[in-house]
Short mmCIF file of all heavy atoms in Angstrom, two decimals:
data_model
loop_
_atom_site.label_atom_id
_atom_site.label_comp_id
_atom_site.label_asym_id
_atom_site.label_seq_id
_atom_site.Cartn_x
_atom_site.Cartn_y
_atom_site.Cartn_z
N LEU A 84 70.64 15.55 -211.79
CA LEU A 84 69.41 16.35 -211.56
C LEU A 84 69.26 17.35 -212.67
O LEU A 84 70.11 18.14 -212.97
CB LEU A 84 69.60 17.12 -210.25
CG LEU A 84 68.40 17.99 -209.77
CD1 LEU A 84 67.17 17.16 -209.51
CD2 LEU A 84 68.76 18.76 -208.51
N SER A 85 68.01 17.32 -213.34
CA SER A 85 67.81 18.24 -214.38
C SER A 85 67.50 19.62 -213.87
O SER A 85 67.05 19.79 -212.75
CB SER A 85 66.56 17.70 -215.20
OG SER A 85 65.38 17.80 -214.46
N ALA A 86 67.61 20.61 -214.80
CA ALA A 86 67.35 22.02 -214.37
C ALA A 86 65.90 22.16 -214.06
O ALA A 86 65.50 22.93 -213.15
CB ALA A 86 67.79 22.89 -215.53
N GLU A 87 64.99 21.41 -214.74
CA GLU A 87 63.54 21.54 -214.56
C GLU A 87 63.20 21.04 -213.12
O GLU A 87 62.47 21.69 -212.38
CB GLU A 87 62.78 20.73 -215.58
CG GLU A 87 62.91 21.25 -216.96
CD GLU A 87 64.08 20.60 -217.70
OE1 GLU A 87 64.94 20.00 -217.03
OE2 GLU A 87 64.07 20.60 -218.96
N ALA A 88 63.74 19.85 -212.84
CA ALA A 88 63.48 19.28 -211.49
C ALA A 88 64.02 20.19 -210.35
O ALA A 88 63.45 20.32 -209.30
CB ALA A 88 64.03 17.88 -211.41
N LYS A 89 65.28 20.68 -210.64
CA LYS A 89 65.91 21.53 -209.57
C LYS A 89 65.09 22.77 -209.33
O LYS A 89 64.85 23.15 -208.18
CB LYS A 89 67.29 21.90 -209.97
CG LYS A 89 68.07 22.67 -208.94
CD LYS A 89 69.42 23.09 -209.43
CE LYS A 89 70.34 21.94 -209.65
NZ LYS A 89 71.72 22.42 -209.98
N ALA A 90 64.59 23.35 -210.44
CA ALA A 90 63.81 24.59 -210.31
C ALA A 90 62.47 24.25 -209.63
O ALA A 90 61.99 25.04 -208.74
CB ALA A 90 63.57 25.20 -211.67
N ALA A 91 61.93 23.15 -209.97
CA ALA A 91 60.63 22.75 -209.36
C ALA A 91 60.80 22.52 -207.89
O ALA A 91 60.00 22.93 -207.09
CB ALA A 91 60.13 21.46 -210.04
N ALA A 92 61.87 21.89 -207.51
CA ALA A 92 62.12 21.58 -206.08
C ALA A 92 62.30 22.87 -205.31
O ALA A 92 61.69 23.03 -204.22
CB ALA A 92 63.38 20.72 -205.94
N ASN A 93 63.11 23.78 -205.85
CA ASN A 93 63.27 25.07 -205.17
C ASN A 93 62.03 25.90 -204.98
O ASN A 93 61.77 26.39 -203.96
CB ASN A 93 64.32 25.94 -205.94
CG ASN A 93 65.74 25.40 -205.85
OD1 ASN A 93 66.06 24.63 -204.94
ND2 ASN A 93 66.64 25.79 -206.79
N ALA A 94 61.24 25.94 -206.06
CA ALA A 94 60.01 26.68 -206.02
C ALA A 94 59.00 26.09 -205.08
O ALA A 94 58.34 26.76 -204.34
CB ALA A 94 59.45 26.86 -207.43
N ALA A 95 58.86 24.71 -205.15
CA ALA A 95 57.87 24.06 -204.29
C ALA A 95 58.32 24.15 -202.83
O ALA A 95 57.43 24.37 -201.94
CB ALA A 95 57.74 22.60 -204.69
N LEU A 96 59.59 24.11 -202.50
CA LEU A 96 60.01 24.27 -201.10
C LEU A 96 59.61 25.68 -200.67
O LEU A 96 59.20 25.84 -199.48
CB LEU A 96 61.53 24.07 -201.02
CG LEU A 96 62.06 22.63 -200.97
CD1 LEU A 96 63.58 22.56 -201.09
CD2 LEU A 96 61.65 22.02 -199.63
N ALA A 97 59.73 26.64 -201.48
CA ALA A 97 59.44 28.01 -201.11
C ALA A 97 57.97 28.19 -200.84
O ALA A 97 57.58 29.06 -199.98
CB ALA A 97 59.84 29.01 -202.25
N ARG A 98 57.13 27.36 -201.47
CA ARG A 98 55.70 27.55 -201.21
C ARG A 98 55.31 27.37 -199.77
O ARG A 98 54.33 27.93 -199.27
CB ARG A 98 54.83 26.49 -202.06
CG ARG A 98 54.51 26.98 -203.44
CD ARG A 98 53.37 26.19 -203.96
NE ARG A 98 53.52 24.80 -203.84
CZ ARG A 98 54.24 24.02 -204.65
NH1 ARG A 98 54.77 24.55 -205.64
NH2 ARG A 98 54.25 22.73 -204.43
N PHE A 99 56.08 26.48 -199.09
CA PHE A 99 55.65 26.14 -197.74
C PHE A 99 56.35 26.96 -196.73
O PHE A 99 56.02 26.85 -195.54
CB PHE A 99 55.96 24.68 -197.54
CG PHE A 99 55.25 23.75 -198.50
CD1 PHE A 99 55.93 23.13 -199.54
CD2 PHE A 99 53.89 23.57 -198.41
CE1 PHE A 99 55.28 22.37 -200.40
CE2 PHE A 99 53.21 22.80 -199.36
CZ PHE A 99 53.89 22.19 -200.32
N GLU A 100 57.33 27.78 -197.07
CA GLU A 100 57.98 28.63 -196.13
C GLU A 100 57.10 29.70 -195.63
O GLU A 100 56.34 30.31 -196.41
CB GLU A 100 59.25 29.23 -196.71
CG GLU A 100 60.33 28.11 -196.99
CD GLU A 100 61.57 28.74 -197.61
OE1 GLU A 100 61.69 30.03 -197.61
OE2 GLU A 100 62.46 27.96 -198.02
N GLY A 101 57.19 30.10 -194.38
CA GLY A 101 56.45 31.21 -193.87
C GLY A 101 54.96 30.88 -193.56
O GLY A 101 54.22 31.78 -193.17
N LYS A 102 54.53 29.62 -193.76
CA LYS A 102 53.18 29.30 -193.46
C LYS A 102 53.11 28.61 -192.07
O LYS A 102 54.08 28.01 -191.60
CB LYS A 102 52.63 28.26 -194.44
CG LYS A 102 52.50 28.88 -195.87
CD LYS A 102 51.88 27.89 -196.80
CE LYS A 102 51.73 28.47 -198.20
NZ LYS A 102 51.13 27.52 -199.14
N ASP A 103 51.95 28.75 -191.39
CA ASP A 103 51.77 28.06 -190.13
C ASP A 103 51.53 26.62 -190.43
O ASP A 103 50.63 26.24 -191.15
CB ASP A 103 50.53 28.68 -189.41
CG ASP A 103 50.75 30.10 -188.98
OD1 ASP A 103 51.92 30.44 -188.72
OD2 ASP A 103 49.76 30.86 -188.92
N LYS A 104 52.43 25.75 -189.85
CA LYS A 104 52.29 24.33 -190.09
C LYS A 104 52.87 23.58 -188.89
O LYS A 104 53.77 24.10 -188.18
CB LYS A 104 52.96 23.93 -191.39
CG LYS A 104 54.42 24.36 -191.48
CD LYS A 104 54.98 23.98 -192.81
CE LYS A 104 56.42 24.35 -192.90
NZ LYS A 104 56.59 25.79 -193.00
N LYS A 105 52.43 22.40 -188.76
CA LYS A 105 52.96 21.54 -187.70
C LYS A 105 54.38 21.07 -188.03
O LYS A 105 54.76 21.07 -189.17
CB LYS A 105 52.06 20.36 -187.45
CG LYS A 105 50.64 20.70 -187.12
CD LYS A 105 49.78 19.47 -186.99
CE LYS A 105 48.33 19.82 -186.68
NZ LYS A 105 47.45 18.63 -186.63
N GLU A 106 55.10 20.69 -186.95
CA GLU A 106 56.46 20.16 -187.26
C GLU A 106 56.30 18.87 -188.02
O GLU A 106 55.47 18.04 -187.70
CB GLU A 106 57.12 19.93 -185.89
CG GLU A 106 57.49 21.20 -185.12
CD GLU A 106 58.54 22.08 -185.91
OE1 GLU A 106 59.35 21.44 -186.59
OE2 GLU A 106 58.43 23.27 -185.86
N PHE A 107 57.15 18.70 -188.95
CA PHE A 107 57.11 17.53 -189.82
C PHE A 107 58.53 17.02 -190.08
O PHE A 107 59.39 17.74 -190.45
CB PHE A 107 56.47 17.90 -191.18
CG PHE A 107 56.22 16.76 -192.04
CD1 PHE A 107 55.17 15.85 -191.84
CD2 PHE A 107 57.03 16.52 -193.17
CE1 PHE A 107 54.91 14.80 -192.69
CE2 PHE A 107 56.83 15.43 -194.01
CZ PHE A 107 55.75 14.57 -193.76
N ASN A 108 58.62 15.73 -189.75
CA ASN A 108 60.01 15.10 -189.89
C ASN A 108 60.26 14.86 -191.40
O ASN A 108 59.61 14.03 -191.98
CB ASN A 108 60.01 13.79 -189.13
CG ASN A 108 61.42 13.22 -189.13
OD1 ASN A 108 62.31 13.54 -189.88
ND2 ASN A 108 61.64 12.34 -188.11
N THR A 109 61.20 15.63 -191.95
CA THR A 109 61.39 15.53 -193.38
C THR A 109 62.60 14.59 -193.74
O THR A 109 63.03 14.57 -194.89
CB THR A 109 61.80 16.94 -193.93
OG1 THR A 109 62.94 17.46 -193.30
CG2 THR A 109 60.67 17.91 -193.83
N SER A 110 62.96 13.70 -192.88
CA SER A 110 63.99 12.71 -193.25
C SER A 110 63.31 11.73 -194.19
O SER A 110 62.10 11.43 -194.05
CB SER A 110 64.52 12.03 -192.00
OG SER A 110 63.57 11.16 -191.47
N LEU A 111 64.06 11.20 -195.15
CA LEU A 111 63.52 10.25 -196.07
C LEU A 111 62.97 9.01 -195.36
O LEU A 111 61.86 8.47 -195.78
CB LEU A 111 64.54 9.89 -197.08
CG LEU A 111 64.97 10.96 -198.06
CD1 LEU A 111 66.11 10.49 -198.95
CD2 LEU A 111 63.80 11.38 -198.90
N ALA A 112 63.63 8.53 -194.33
CA ALA A 112 63.14 7.36 -193.62
C ALA A 112 61.80 7.68 -192.98
O ALA A 112 60.88 6.81 -193.00
CB ALA A 112 64.16 6.94 -192.56
N ALA A 113 61.61 8.82 -192.43
CA ALA A 113 60.36 9.21 -191.76
C ALA A 113 59.24 9.34 -192.81
O ALA A 113 58.07 8.93 -192.57
CB ALA A 113 60.55 10.49 -190.99
N ILE A 114 59.58 9.84 -193.99
CA ILE A 114 58.57 10.07 -195.00
C ILE A 114 58.13 8.72 -195.55
O ILE A 114 56.93 8.44 -195.69
CB ILE A 114 59.20 10.94 -196.15
CG1 ILE A 114 59.41 12.34 -195.70
CG2 ILE A 114 58.31 10.83 -197.41
CD1 ILE A 114 60.12 13.17 -196.72
N ARG A 115 59.07 7.81 -195.73
CA ARG A 115 58.67 6.42 -196.23
C ARG A 115 57.86 5.75 -195.18
O ARG A 115 56.91 5.01 -195.53
CB ARG A 115 59.99 5.68 -196.51
CG ARG A 115 60.74 6.13 -197.75
CD ARG A 115 61.88 5.27 -198.11
NE ARG A 115 62.54 5.67 -199.31
CZ ARG A 115 63.80 6.24 -199.29
NH1 ARG A 115 64.45 6.33 -198.16
NH2 ARG A 115 64.30 6.63 -200.44
N ALA A 116 58.15 5.92 -193.91
CA ALA A 116 57.37 5.32 -192.86
C ALA A 116 55.99 5.86 -192.85
O ALA A 116 54.96 5.14 -192.67
CB ALA A 116 58.08 5.46 -191.46
N GLN A 117 55.89 7.17 -193.03
CA GLN A 117 54.56 7.81 -193.06
C GLN A 117 53.70 7.35 -194.24
O GLN A 117 52.49 7.11 -194.10
CB GLN A 117 54.69 9.33 -193.13
CG GLN A 117 53.41 10.12 -193.23
CD GLN A 117 52.62 10.06 -191.95
OE1 GLN A 117 53.16 9.69 -190.89
NE2 GLN A 117 51.37 10.44 -192.00
#
Side-chain angles (χ1 to χ4, degrees):
L84 180 64
S85 68
E87 296 91 340
K89 183 185 292 185
N93 288 340
L96 278 172
R98 270 202 312 277
F99 302 106
E100 294 180 10
K102 294 184 180 181
D103 294 331
K104 54 182 180 288
K105 300 176 182 179
E106 292 297 325
F107 186 75
N108 189 341
T109 57
S110 72
L111 290 175
I114 291 174
R115 291 187 178 110
Q117 179 69 16

